[in-house]
Amino acid sequence: MSKIVVVDDSYAELQLIEGYLKSANQTVVSYPNTDKLEDKLALDKPDLIVLDVGMPEMDGLDVCREIRKISHVPVLFLSALGAVDDRVKGLKAGGDDYLTKPYAFTELLARVEALVRRAEPQESQTRYQVGDLVLDRLSHRVTRGGEAILLQPREY
């Protein structure tokens, strides 16, 4: 389950998005404006922000630029503006994806899940084992049956 912040000035849109994401077992925090959004994000620590571009008090693109100064959290723009230039502006402003209205909620959910999945830290495997042979990448050691195998750097 991920924590999604949704920012849209349309109460009806907020309710729809919130309800749909919650039905998909997401935790949702919604805001009808961008007032003190950076402070709210610091408290909420979201996994993703769904942000309307056409906000009355501060353009969503400008909001994203401000967010990028403090965070790398993925941003999915929602907008009625769907021209190529508009989508490019959104991506250049720091957005990770751009979805035009009207949209299918299944597509919104798929994009949310993809962005959250890509943002998850990847575990780098540091230890490999095949039978009794173990290679430890942190210590640069190889053992077999618990006994160290001395290797030259090139062999390792």
Side-chain angles (χ1 to χ4, degrees):
M1 181 168 17
S2 303
K3 189 173 196 178
I4 316 292
V5 167
V6 180
V7 184
D8 198 308
D9 60 320
S10 166
Y11 182 74
E13 189 83 12
L14 270 181
Q15 293 300 102
L16 283 171
I17 295 170
E18 184 175 347
Y20 190 71
L21 292 175
K22 283 184 177 179
S23 72
N25 296 318
Q26 305 292 336
T27 301
V28 182
V29 179
S30 56
Y31 296 110
N33 58 53
T34 58
D35 185 42
K36 299 182 182 176
L37 186 60
E38 289 90 0
D39 295 338
K40 294 173 184 173
L41 294 177
L43 294 174
D44 292 329
K45 296 185 183 2
D47 298 304
L48 172 73
I49 300 169
V50 177
L51 178 61
D52 184 21
V53 172
M55 299 295 290
E57 62 281 336
M58 185 177 190
D59 182 78
L61 302 176
D62 292 331
V63 171
C64 186
R65 287 183 193 97
E66 291 301 311
I67 290 169
R68 285 293 168 251
K69 291 178 183 177
I70 61 169
S71 175
H72 293 292
V73 64
V75 174
L76 169 60
F77 281 119
L78 296 181
S79 178
L81 305 172
V84 172
D85 288 347
D86 296 315
R87 295 190 309 257
V88 168
K89 285 178 187 174
L91 296 172
K92 285 188 172 186
D96 297 281
D97 201 353
Y98 193 105
L99 186 59
T100 57
K101 298 176 184 180
Y103 51 84
F105 283 110
T106 53
E107 182 180 6
L108 172 65
L109 182 59
R111 289 174 185 256
V112 163
E113 290 172 347
L115 287 168
V116 169
R117 182 177 56 248
R118 277 183 283 180
E120 290 175 352
Q122 300 296 313
E123 291 183 31
S124 62
Q125 191 169 0
T126 60
R127 189 172 187 264
Y128 300 94
Q129 183 168 354
V130 178
D132 66 343
L133 182 67
V134 177
L135 181 135
D136 187 329
R137 290 180 54 209
L138 289 178
S139 66
H140 290 29
R141 292 187 46 181
V142 177
T143 59
R144 172 169 268 144
E147 298 290 322
I149 299 175
L150 300 175
L151 300 173
Q152 296 298 318
R154 185 175 203 151
E155 295 172 320
Y156 175 81

